[in-house]
Amino acid sequence: MAAKSKGQPIGGRWIPETCSAADLAVLLGMGGRSVDRWIQRGVFVRAAGRGRFETLASIQAYADDLRSKAAGQASSTGKLLADERAETEQVDREIKKLKLAQIRGEVLTLEEVTESWTAFASTVKAAVLSIPGRLRSELPHMTAHDGETARRIAREVLNELADEVETVVINGDPKEITHASL
């Protein structure tokens, strides 16, 4: 008498209780790499023995996972599809608002801001560097040493302002302004 194999009858054929990753690939019609990804995600149910999986439980888990994705319950990232759609719609709304504001002239491009601030910084620099000369014309009794001291102080003030701009505007938090140099 022939020995009865372990497994379950399905459609007149016996499905083994356990199978290898290669068997799952054949049963599910996918490549080995795809099976490996599903294994890493923990979808396939491991069985006793190295590289073995519970056949029916793994196929059912795979089908359940596909069903949940199709129903909008989860995406490939694990997030709910409804949440991902909501995030995408929010980003789309923000982009549309920015485009509308740009059309209305309510926002500036980075180039426009850079150009304006460069012109402003040049104006401030020229004004601060003109102070020593203006002092000499207003105070004729200033010595050459006094004029040099005024120039040094003007350059120090400009350097301190540059440091403040780099710290606050470029790198960080406007609350960090010390106002010490202002």
Side-chain angles (χ1 to χ4, degrees), residues 41 68-69 72-81 84:
R41 290 184 49 216
S68 70
K69 284 182 188 170
Q73 295 174 358
S75 71
S76 60
T77 62
K79 285 185 174 181
L80 295 178
L81 286 177
E84 283 188 5

mmCIF file of all heavy atoms in Angstrom, residues 41 68-69 72-81 84:
data_model
loop_
_atom_site.group_PDB
_atom_site.id
_atom_site.type_symbol
_atom_site.label_atom_id
_atom_site.label_comp_id
_atom_site.label_asym_id
_atom_site.label_seq_id
_atom_site.Cartn_x
_atom_site.Cartn_y
_atom_site.Cartn_z
ATOM 1 N N ARG A 41 9.534 41.259 4.301
ATOM 2 C CA ARG A 41 8.411 41.998 4.872
ATOM 3 C C ARG A 41 7.632 41.167 5.876
ATOM 4 O O ARG A 41 6.765 41.676 6.564
ATOM 5 C CB ARG A 41 7.470 42.471 3.760
ATOM 6 C CG ARG A 41 8.099 43.571 2.907
ATOM 7 C CD ARG A 41 7.172 44.128 1.867
ATOM 8 N NE ARG A 41 5.891 44.476 2.425
ATOM 9 C CZ ARG A 41 4.741 44.330 1.773
ATOM 10 N NH1 ARG A 41 4.726 43.823 0.571
ATOM 11 N NH2 ARG A 41 3.606 44.685 2.330
ATOM 12 N N SER A 68 -5.719 43.753 1.193
ATOM 13 C CA SER A 68 -5.729 44.966 2.014
ATOM 14 C C SER A 68 -5.203 46.160 1.234
ATOM 15 O O SER A 68 -5.710 47.267 1.371
ATOM 16 C CB SER A 68 -4.923 44.760 3.300
ATOM 17 O OG SER A 68 -3.556 44.658 3.027
ATOM 18 N N LYS A 69 -4.206 45.926 0.375
ATOM 19 C CA LYS A 69 -3.702 47.023 -0.460
ATOM 20 C C LYS A 69 -4.755 47.455 -1.466
ATOM 21 O O LYS A 69 -4.967 48.640 -1.697
ATOM 22 C CB LYS A 69 -2.435 46.598 -1.183
ATOM 23 C CG LYS A 69 -1.228 46.568 -0.297
ATOM 24 C CD LYS A 69 -0.016 46.189 -1.085
ATOM 25 C CE LYS A 69 1.151 45.973 -0.146
ATOM 26 N NZ LYS A 69 2.275 45.381 -0.844
ATOM 27 N N GLY A 72 -7.371 49.662 -0.197
ATOM 28 C CA GLY A 72 -6.928 50.975 0.249
ATOM 29 C C GLY A 72 -6.545 51.019 1.703
ATOM 30 O O GLY A 72 -6.492 52.078 2.300
ATOM 31 N N GLN A 73 -6.248 49.883 2.275
ATOM 32 C CA GLN A 73 -5.913 49.852 3.688
ATOM 33 C C GLN A 73 -4.436 50.110 3.939
ATOM 34 O O GLN A 73 -4.076 50.658 4.954
ATOM 35 C CB GLN A 73 -6.320 48.511 4.294
ATOM 36 C CG GLN A 73 -7.805 48.297 4.268
ATOM 37 C CD GLN A 73 -8.185 46.915 4.744
ATOM 38 O OE1 GLN A 73 -7.334 46.102 5.057
ATOM 39 N NE2 GLN A 73 -9.475 46.654 4.792
ATOM 40 N N ALA A 74 -3.573 49.682 3.027
ATOM 41 C CA ALA A 74 -2.143 49.878 3.243
ATOM 42 C C ALA A 74 -1.438 49.983 1.907
ATOM 43 O O ALA A 74 -1.850 49.394 0.924
ATOM 44 C CB ALA A 74 -1.564 48.717 4.044
ATOM 45 N N SER A 75 -0.351 50.748 1.894
ATOM 46 C CA SER A 75 0.458 50.885 0.693
ATOM 47 C C SER A 75 1.721 50.068 0.865
ATOM 48 O O SER A 75 1.946 49.443 1.893
ATOM 49 C CB SER A 75 0.819 52.349 0.465
ATOM 50 O OG SER A 75 1.747 52.775 1.432
ATOM 51 N N SER A 76 2.568 50.117 -0.130
ATOM 52 C CA SER A 76 3.819 49.360 -0.046
ATOM 53 C C SER A 76 4.740 49.917 1.032
ATOM 54 O O SER A 76 5.636 49.236 1.495
ATOM 55 C CB SER A 76 4.535 49.368 -1.399
ATOM 56 O OG SER A 76 4.819 50.694 -1.777
ATOM 57 N N THR A 77 4.513 51.177 1.451
ATOM 58 C CA THR A 77 5.329 51.765 2.523
ATOM 59 C C THR A 77 4.778 51.444 3.893
ATOM 60 O O THR A 77 5.384 51.770 4.901
ATOM 61 C CB THR A 77 5.400 53.300 2.378
ATOM 62 O OG1 THR A 77 4.086 53.831 2.490
ATOM 63 C CG2 THR A 77 6.020 53.710 1.059
ATOM 64 N N GLY A 78 3.581 50.817 3.921
ATOM 65 C CA GLY A 78 2.973 50.476 5.195
ATOM 66 C C GLY A 78 1.990 51.530 5.678
ATOM 67 O O GLY A 78 1.252 51.306 6.620
ATOM 68 N N LYS A 79 1.984 52.705 5.036
ATOM 69 C CA LYS A 79 1.029 53.744 5.414
ATOM 70 C C LYS A 79 -0.328 53.416 4.824
ATOM 71 O O LYS A 79 -0.434 52.725 3.820
ATOM 72 C CB LYS A 79 1.465 55.102 4.852
ATOM 73 C CG LYS A 79 2.604 55.743 5.553
ATOM 74 C CD LYS A 79 2.820 57.122 4.964
ATOM 75 C CE LYS A 79 3.867 57.881 5.715
ATOM 76 N NZ LYS A 79 4.046 59.225 5.137
ATOM 77 N N LEU A 80 -1.348 53.941 5.427
ATOM 78 C CA LEU A 80 -2.675 53.794 4.853
ATOM 79 C C LEU A 80 -2.732 54.595 3.560
ATOM 80 O O LEU A 80 -2.246 55.725 3.495
ATOM 81 C CB LEU A 80 -3.740 54.285 5.825
ATOM 82 C CG LEU A 80 -3.897 53.501 7.117
ATOM 83 C CD1 LEU A 80 -4.951 54.137 8.008
ATOM 84 C CD2 LEU A 80 -4.271 52.054 6.823
ATOM 85 N N LEU A 81 -3.311 53.999 2.538
ATOM 86 C CA LEU A 81 -3.395 54.692 1.258
ATOM 87 C C LEU A 81 -4.194 55.981 1.373
ATOM 88 O O LEU A 81 -3.871 56.979 0.734
ATOM 89 C CB LEU A 81 -4.010 53.777 0.201
ATOM 90 C CG LEU A 81 -3.091 52.670 -0.314
ATOM 91 C CD1 LEU A 81 -3.847 51.782 -1.295
ATOM 92 C CD2 LEU A 81 -1.868 53.240 -0.981
ATOM 93 N N GLU A 84 -1.840 58.562 2.613
ATOM 94 C CA GLU A 84 -0.911 58.981 1.568
ATOM 95 C C GLU A 84 -1.607 59.890 0.559
ATOM 96 O O GLU A 84 -1.044 60.887 0.125
ATOM 97 C CB GLU A 84 -0.313 57.768 0.858
ATOM 98 C CG GLU A 84 0.763 57.084 1.657
ATOM 99 C CD GLU A 84 1.494 56.011 0.868
ATOM 100 O OE1 GLU A 84 1.233 55.856 -0.345
ATOM 101 O OE2 GLU A 84 2.342 55.343 1.466
#
